[in-house]
Amino acid sequence: MPGLSHTRDAVLLSGAVVLGGLTAPLLPAIGFPLAGAGLAALVYRGRVTLAAFAAGMAVAFGTFMAPSDAALLTPAFVALLFAVGGMQRRSALANVTLLTAVFAAGSLASAALFAWLRGTTFLAQTQESARAAVAGFVEAAGGAGADGMLFGVDPEVLADTMFRLWPVDYFASALLAAVLSVAVAGWAANRTGAAVKRLPRLDVLDLSPHVLWPFIGAFAFLAAGRAMGDGAGATTVGLNLLLGVRLLLLVQGLGVVSAFYRRIGLGKWARGTGYTLLLLADSVVPLVSIVGLIDFWANFRKLPREDSSAAERVEDENDGD
């Protein structure tokens, strides 16, 4: 019966939203996309009120499980509803930018609230977590050497570096969750027959050149840190900016590589293997990121950057990689 199947779908989709809310604080790259898919399917089936109710239940249950998670879940679900509701008029990349900012700020606020409830501070808790992570790695590796070093690196220095890089950790986690959320929500909305703006294919993805401003700022901070000494904190700021922008340059570079793969006719499995190998290689030598940086000037794919109408058509290509 149609009525029974609609009720079943509504219950299952609402359950996906709530389950996503419970999962997101621990695994944001899984929880938020799951919630986004459920919300998009409900909204574009005309169940807007039910979608809002499911989002509220997700926040309520998540807060009941861990009160500090309210600082993450409340703004995150408001942003998800806003992003899902505007997928027909707002670009997918704009939604990714919005969700990345909200997810990162919410995660930071939740961690700070959790630390406060424990009677400590966010920075002290983060430093403690970094030391615990390094200690666990040292133990798994069979312990430090006789000189106290682990593979030639002082564990204390490694823990301090991990601590100093907490901003880029939050950014990377939020960016991944935002991209997956927008991609999955767009897929779910498209399944209902709605015409929404989805993420472009990787081979035509072209980021705004404004991402180069923090890249320039990173070197300015690094230069200032070198001049003033690490005590000024400028080196830490510059390093976080540089690593954060490198993620975006990596995506731009993978777009260039994807266009090359398509041009030579590689299949999906071969492309997937190629992407995996390139990601592993770029973690050691940032060649793909450098290609992405150069592409802002060279425009290897000859994308229509000056013609705004053509650029909009490129972004509306919905058959993802």
Side-chain angles (χ1 to χ4, degrees), residues 68-69 79 85 143 225 240 246 252:
S68 61
D69 288 342
N240 278 280
R246 181 184 169 183
Q252 185 80 6

Side-chain angles (χ1 to χ4, degrees), residues 1-14 17 37-55 81 84 192:
M1 296 176 63
L4 184 60
S5 65
H6 289 169
T7 301
R8 178 202 63 202
D9 290 346
V11 171
L12 290 176
L13 292 171
S14 299
V17 174
L39 290 174
L42 288 171
V43 167
Y44 290 99
R45 291 183 183 206
R47 303 291 189 93
V48 178
T49 302
L50 181 58
F53 176 76
L81 283 170
V84 165
T192 69

Side-chain angles (χ1 to χ4, degrees), residues 18-74:
V18 174
L19 180 60
L22 293 174
T23 307
L26 291 177
L27 299 170
I30 295 177
F32 285 132
L34 179 60
L39 290 174
L42 288 171
V43 167
Y44 290 99
R45 291 183 183 206
R47 303 291 189 93
V48 178
T49 302
L50 181 58
F53 176 76
M57 292 301 294
V59 174
F61 280 122
T63 302
F64 176 78
M65 296 295 292
S68 61
D69 288 342
L72 166 63
L73 295 176
T74 302

Side-chain angles (χ1 to χ4, degrees), residues 25-281:
L26 291 177
L27 299 170
I30 295 177
F32 285 132
L34 179 60
L39 290 174
L42 288 171
V43 167
Y44 290 99
R45 291 183 183 206
R47 303 291 189 93
V48 178
T49 302
L50 181 58
F53 176 76
M57 292 301 294
V59 174
F61 280 122
T63 302
F64 176 78
M65 296 295 292
S68 61
D69 288 342
L72 166 63
L73 295 176
T74 302
F77 272 92
V78 170
L80 276 173
L81 283 170
F82 181 78
V84 165
M87 287 194 298
Q88 291 182 315
R89 62 183 182 276
R90 196 165 43 248
S91 75
L93 293 181
N95 279 331
V96 168
T97 302
L98 167 69
L99 292 180
T100 299
V102 173
F103 290 168
S107 297
L108 180 58
S110 178
L113 179 57
F114 179 73
W116 180 76
L117 291 173
R118 290 182 59 198
T120 183
T121 65
F122 168 76
L123 292 179
Q125 176 179 271
T126 304
Q127 192 168 42
E128 177 187 335
S129 298
R131 287 174 175 167
V134 171
F137 180 71
V138 170
E139 183 178 352
D147 56 356
M149 298 291 187
L150 179 67
F151 306 123
V153 179
D154 186 346
E156 284 295 324
V157 173
L158 181 59
D160 182 64
T161 301
M162 289 182 62
F163 165 66
R164 293 169 65 189
L165 294 180
W166 66 261
V168 77
D169 288 340
Y170 278 88
F171 170 71
S173 177
L175 177 62
L176 178 60
V179 169
L180 293 177
S181 296
V182 171
V184 175
W187 171 83
N190 187 253
R191 295 276 292 179
T192 69
V196 298
K197 295 184 177 181
R198 299 177 61 186
L199 287 172
R201 291 196 320 256
L202 184 57
D203 63 312
V204 295
L205 176 63
D206 193 30
L207 300 179
S208 168
H210 290 300
V211 304
L212 296 177
W213 288 114
F215 180 74
I216 296 171
F219 284 99
F221 276 106
L222 289 173
R226 186 177 181 84
M228 295 184 294
D230 287 339
T235 301
T236 298
V237 175
L239 191 57
N240 278 280
L241 279 174
L242 186 61
L243 292 176
V245 175
R246 181 184 169 183
L247 291 174
L248 302 178
L249 296 179
L250 175 60
V251 172
Q252 185 80 6
L254 287 174
V256 176
V257 173
S258 179
F260 173 73
Y261 283 169
R262 283 186 178 274
R263 191 175 299 119
I264 63 177
L266 281 185
K268 286 188 175 182
W269 286 105
R271 277 182 282 156
T273 302
Y275 295 144
T276 302
L277 294 176
L278 286 172
L279 288 173
L280 292 174

